[in-house]
Amino acid sequence: MRVAISEAQGLLCAEEVTADRALPDFDQAAVDGYAVRSVDVQSAAQESVALPVVGETPAGARQARRLQPAQAVHVEASAPLPTLADAVVPVAYTEEQSGKVVVRQPVPSGAFVRRAGEDVQPGDVAVHRGMPIGPAQLAMLAAIGRSQVLVHPRPRVSIISVGEELVDLNERPGTGQTYDVNSYALAAAAREAGAEVTRVGIVPTDSRRLREVVEGRLLLSEVVVIAGGAGGAAGERVRAALAELGRLEITRVAMHPGSVQGFGRLGPDQVPTFILPSSPVSALVVFEVFVRPLIRFALGKTNPHRRTVTASTLSPISSTKGRRGFLRGQLLRDPDTETFLVQPLGDSESHLLAPLVEANCLIVVDEDITDIPVGEDVPVRFLSQRS
């Protein structure tokens, strides 16, 4: 997508941006001072040199003046350097007297001058493909006259919660009801991953209404996430409601938490659509494992996964046989050895949200491992860093 450079900050450049002009594109003064021939002020090291000031060139002047030997021209910073001048004497080195400038310190050729093309030459790559566009890259794009740039845009992600038991935060839950946690949590996770997020909120599992909402979001999204429709009767209703929009499969994945989940490519554009569990912990873990990498890949990241390190366990770990565990943990660093240590959080109660609040990593346990003793090395995947 090609966007105005003012909208490109934080995105990855999707093209090799080459300059079609030199930067700077003319010789110019780097400071306020006097443009001279350096040979005319060499003797200022022994005694002051007085040169007649034959004119003034302000910044923005369209035409450079012509300098004769043993003359000076007063110049402002960024002003075109007069013809034959090869240096600028800063004001601090001088004193002006009766139409002459007294130079008290010599300057070598090229001093306080910005030469044409010394920053960028025509044809140089000014911003590389895959480079994050920040303030410096925006400065370069503006400097070479680019008003637009090709970028990997933020994927549009729609977050939907389903469940007859859900109420929004401005209502008080009654018996059998609970707050809609997932749409807020997953919207935050998608936003943190770099997506442009629409939190649709609670949608009833009534087939007609759910199909209408999802069908509308498919036209406006690159990814759709539906939380709460993965298992049981709710899962059946979601599958039936969306059957006309494309193939959708709800199944068990050999992982925990969050083994029951679904995926399909729906609508005319085959939009990736994820069905996540109703448990907020399970939903966030499944999002972290499957949805977040897709968002990062869409943003042009060559490695869409978070950093993984090896850490030594501070407490024993139990995991479910036959399922890969993504268990909450707190990653620490030994102050003496600088090695990573990890404290498991939450025991086997995967639905508890409080341990996830304290977690800064996920401990990854292979499917064939059920028990890990203290001091064992395990792979640990970083979560969002807290400031």
Side-chain angles (χ1 to χ4, degrees):
M1 176 184 291
R2 193 168 295 279
V3 300
I5 64 170
S6 58
E7 304 299 320
Q9 186 171 359
L11 301 176
L12 289 188
C13 186
E15 63 174 320
E16 295 280 283
V17 181
T18 57
D20 59 6
R21 58 188 294 181
L23 181 63
D25 57 358
F26 57 90
D27 292 344
Q28 59 184 251
V31 297
D32 290 345
Y34 296 87
V36 299
R37 299 191 318 154
S38 59
V39 67
D40 291 333
V41 296
Q42 281 185 350
S43 60
Q46 288 77 42
E47 60 180 343
S48 299
V49 174
L51 300 175
V53 179
V54 297
E56 182 175 356
T57 305
R62 297 296 184 88
Q63 189 171 3
R65 299 181 64 91
R66 184 172 181 83
L67 185 71
Q68 299 296 332
Q71 291 181 344
V73 172
H74 185 265
V75 290
E76 293 182 355
S78 300
L81 199 68
T83 305
L84 296 186
D86 67 339
V88 174
V89 181
V91 171
Y93 295 1
T94 67
E95 180 181 340
E96 191 164 349
Q97 299 175 352
S98 304
K100 292 187 176 183
V101 61
V102 179
V103 180
R104 305 189 184 283
Q105 186 172 326
V107 290
S109 180
F112 304 102
V113 172
R114 302 185 186 122
R115 291 296 185 189
E118 71 175 11
D119 197 350
V120 174
Q121 292 282 348
D124 284 353
V125 177
V127 179
H128 288 277
R129 180 186 291 111
M131 182 176 284
I133 297 178
Q137 290 72 34
L138 286 171
M140 178 60 76
L141 291 168
I144 64 172
R146 286 290 296 267
S147 62
Q148 294 186 324
V149 63
L150 195 66
V151 297
H152 294 278
R154 299 185 189 280
R156 297 170 298 173
V157 176
S158 292
I159 308 292
I160 299 170
S161 280
V162 297
E164 303 305 323
E165 77 281 10
L166 299 179
V167 298
D168 207 351
L169 302 184
N170 58 1
E171 302 179 41
R172 181 178 294 276
T175 302
Q177 294 182 314
T178 185
Y179 285 125
D180 168 27
V181 175
N182 280 327
S183 73
Y184 290 94
L186 294 171
R191 199 173 294 114
E192 187 270 335
E196 178 184 319
V197 181
T198 298
R199 189 188 68 83
V200 179
I202 305 167
V203 177
T205 52
D206 168 76
S207 293
R208 183 183 62 82
R209 178 61 181 150
L210 179 59
R211 184 169 57 253
E212 285 178 353
V213 172
V214 173
E215 193 168 16
R217 296 317 307 173
L218 291 173
L219 299 175
L220 301 171
S221 309
E222 279 74 54
V223 179
V224 172
V225 177
I226 302 171
E236 290 300 322
R237 289 196 294 270
V238 168
R239 183 187 296 140
L242 304 183
E244 296 179 7
L245 301 179
R247 182 180 176 185
L248 179 68
E249 183 177 0
I250 297 178
T251 187
R252 284 189 176 273
V253 176
M255 64 176 288
H256 74 100
S259 62
V260 181
Q261 53 187 272
F263 178 77
R265 298 182 69 92
L266 305 184
D269 295 326
Q270 297 285 286
V271 175
T273 302
F274 294 85
I275 312 296
L276 306 190
S278 58
S279 160
V281 172
S282 297
L284 283 169
V285 170
V286 173
F287 184 97
E288 179 71 25
V289 175
F290 293 107
V291 187
R292 188 181 191 277
L294 177 61
I295 293 172
R296 303 297 286 173
F297 183 79
L299 284 165
K301 304 293 184 181
T302 54
N303 182 4
H305 300 286
R306 294 196 198 264
R307 181 185 175 196
T308 298
V309 298
T310 299
S312 180
T313 57
L314 294 174
S315 296
I317 296 174
S318 296
S319 186
T320 303
K321 184 176 178 58
R323 299 185 191 176
R324 177 165 297 185
F326 295 90
L327 312 180
R328 294 149 292 178
Q330 192 168 71
L331 189 63
L332 310 167
R333 200 142 199 183
D334 188 303
D336 297 323
T337 64
E338 291 296 311
T339 57
F340 285 108
L341 307 171
V342 63
Q343 176 63 55
L345 300 173
D347 300 323
S348 60
E349 301 297 330
S350 63
H351 66 281
L352 298 179
L353 189 56
L356 186 59
V357 173
E358 297 300 321
N360 61 5
C361 69
L362 291 176
I363 305 166
V364 183
V365 182
D366 284 345
E367 297 88 331
D368 57 348
I369 297 176
T370 57
D371 295 289
I372 300 175
V374 173
E376 190 82 9
D377 285 344
V378 292
V380 171
R381 181 182 295 186
F382 281 71
L383 290 177
S384 302
Q385 297 299 304
R386 287 175 288 188
S387 56

